[in-house]
Amino acid sequence: MNPISRRGLLAMVAGLAATAGLSSLWVSRMTSYKGPITDHFDGERFFDRDSAPPKGWLDVLRWRFTTKPAPWPDWAPSPFADTPPPRVGGDKARLSYVGHASWLIQTGGLNILIDPVWSQRVSPVSFAGPKRHNDPGIAFEKLPKIDIVLVSHGHYDHLDLATLSRLAGRDAPRVITPLGNDLTMASHDSAIRAEAYDWRDRVELGEGVAVTLVPTRHWTARGPFDRNRALWASFVLETPAGRIYVVCDSGYGDGRHFRNVRDAHAPLRLAILPIGAYAPRWFMKDQHMNPADAVMALADCGAEQALANHHGTFQLTDEAIDAPENDLYAALDAAAVPRERFPVLKPGQVFEV
């Protein structure tokens, strides 16, 4: 084993924070959620009876000290950059891919951001940890006025406090998030208008648009001692263009989460499904789908159309930067699913329904 420098050790700790919910004691200031015991909250921590628990410390260290990540280019710019219109009305929805799990969805006269991350790193520290390999597909100053933000869970590559503060200062949007993540936001900036909801809660957003938080096969943490003290979720958006199923992070398991969404919310016009951060499989498979899993998830949820996310911006795991796209198209071909039914967008590309 090669010796690890002090800076290398700090980078490893910051990387763990993004991928495994670990951070140093001095950066974890999360206040724990308090609420009644339910079928997925034991009074202290959330859980999912239909999922596997996250890996323990020994497995995390085994991965980090034996990992052989594929090299990524220092910079992999997208050839696209979007300048969205102020609003999209009628029965249409316009989706602009910002990068990783971040999207701008414009529909029903509302501008909705999903897991917005404009920071250069997804880490508890600014000098180490996973950094961007391409710019956001929309420059922050070119964003239209944001009405709603949906934040799926507390991992650093999804809940970016710096970006949420910028949005709060500029537009003061409503921020819809699962239980407990609002406390993380409020402890950082009281101007963030966070509203916390449980699984299966339906929230009216206005203009004929609503969102329901649905269970997903994942977990959350900001530091070493707050594992699953907040909730995680996927989203089903009801829009004039149809229902859009937004999955920012999820394992596949036996597929029941996706079939449950189909049973409760069909028909689905569109599903946004993660395809990256999946290697090595022994460590990642319980909480992160690979492309073959994502193809099965599309079949399970029954959506007419899918779009890929959670790839190509931050190197969180071991696969190459282009492996998710290549593996997805191979999996689609093997399943006899047309590639145009599940395309991979670059940051700044737009898809309309």
Side-chain angles (χ1 to χ4, degrees):
M1 183 183 302
N2 294 327
I4 299 178
S5 67
R6 180 175 180 272
R7 188 170 185 86
L9 180 62
L10 288 170
M12 185 184 76
V13 170
L16 290 172
T19 58
L22 303 176
S23 68
S24 300
L25 293 176
W26 65 87
V27 300
S28 179
R29 298 180 295 170
M30 181 177 178
T31 303
S32 295
Y33 167 80
K34 303 296 182 185
I37 293 174
T38 70
D39 64 352
H40 55 279
F41 181 66
D42 64 10
E44 292 187 3
R45 298 179 191 271
F46 292 92
F47 60 92
D48 181 358
R49 297 185 191 278
D50 295 324
S51 293
K55 299 293 187 186
W57 276 83
L58 290 179
D59 283 327
V60 172
L61 293 174
R62 173 189 164 197
W63 167 46
R64 295 307 298 181
F65 282 102
T66 62
T67 184
K68 295 181 179 179
W72 280 35
D74 287 340
W75 195 245
S78 170
F80 304 96
D82 184 31
T83 300
R87 304 277 172 186
V88 172
D91 61 355
K92 303 295 184 182
R94 183 184 192 272
L95 295 92
S96 178
Y97 187 42
V98 178
H100 193 56
S102 303
W103 295 83
L104 172 65
I105 301 178
Q106 297 179 280
T107 185
L110 295 177
N111 294 324
I112 303 168
L113 278 179
I114 311 294
D115 281 4
V117 177
W118 264 259
S119 292
Q120 288 301 305
R121 293 187 186 270
V122 287
S123 168
V125 294
S126 61
F127 54 85
K131 63 180 180 179
R132 304 192 76 93
H133 289 263
N134 38 62
D135 286 323
I138 308 170
F140 190 85
E141 61 273 13
K142 292 186 177 180
L143 281 171
K145 183 181 187 301
I146 302 302
D147 306 293
I148 305 291
V149 177
L150 306 180
V151 177
S152 64
H153 65 294
H155 285 155
Y156 287 86
D157 57 320
H158 297 264
L159 196 168
D160 179 18
L161 291 170
T163 296
L164 293 175
S165 283
R166 291 178 74 184
L167 290 166
R170 199 191 76 156
D171 298 331
R174 295 174 67 188
V175 180
I176 309 299
T177 193
L179 296 171
N181 297 290
D182 57 319
L183 303 176
T184 301
M185 300 175 197
S187 68
H188 173 77
D189 185 350
S190 61
I192 299 172
R193 297 174 54 206
E195 305 171 24
Y197 296 93
D198 204 350
W199 284 344
R200 303 180 184 88
D201 284 346
R202 181 178 180 274
V203 186
E204 293 280 356
L205 303 179
E207 306 297 333
V209 180
V211 64
T212 300
L213 286 73
V214 295
T216 199
R217 187 182 175 92
H218 203 58
W219 64 291
T220 195
R222 300 286 286 183
F225 302 118
D226 64 355
R227 182 175 288 198
N228 290 353
R229 291 187 180 273
L231 189 58
W232 55 97
S234 293
F235 304 104
V236 176
L237 270 172
E238 301 168 35
T239 81
R243 291 188 176 96
I244 301 174
Y245 179 27
V246 183
V247 184
C248 298
D249 234 345
S250 181
Y252 179 74
D254 63 3
R256 72 180 62 192
H257 287 84
F258 302 99
R259 293 190 295 273
N260 289 343
V261 167
R262 175 199 64 200
D263 294 344
H265 298 281
L268 298 174
R269 176 66 185 85
L270 175 69
I272 297 174
L273 299 172
I275 65 166
Y278 55 82
R281 291 310 285 152
W282 72 265
F283 186 78
M284 293 293 168
K285 71 175 296 183
D286 288 331
Q287 279 80 38
H288 285 169
M289 293 195 291
N290 66 11
D293 292 336
V295 173
M296 292 190 292
L298 173 58
D300 287 333
C301 74
E304 296 177 31
Q305 175 75 41
L307 297 174
N309 72 343
H310 206 268
H311 67 96
T313 295
F314 300 105
Q315 186 173 17
L316 303 175
T317 51
D318 291 358
E319 72 271 10
I321 190 171
D322 57 352
E325 180 174 4
N326 294 337
D327 289 354
L328 176 63
Y329 290 140
L332 289 168
D333 293 346
V337 177
R339 292 186 178 190
E340 58 268 22
R341 190 179 169 203
F342 197 164
V344 179
L345 305 187
K346 301 293 185 184
Q349 278 191 280
V350 173
F351 191 90
E352 296 182 344
V353 294

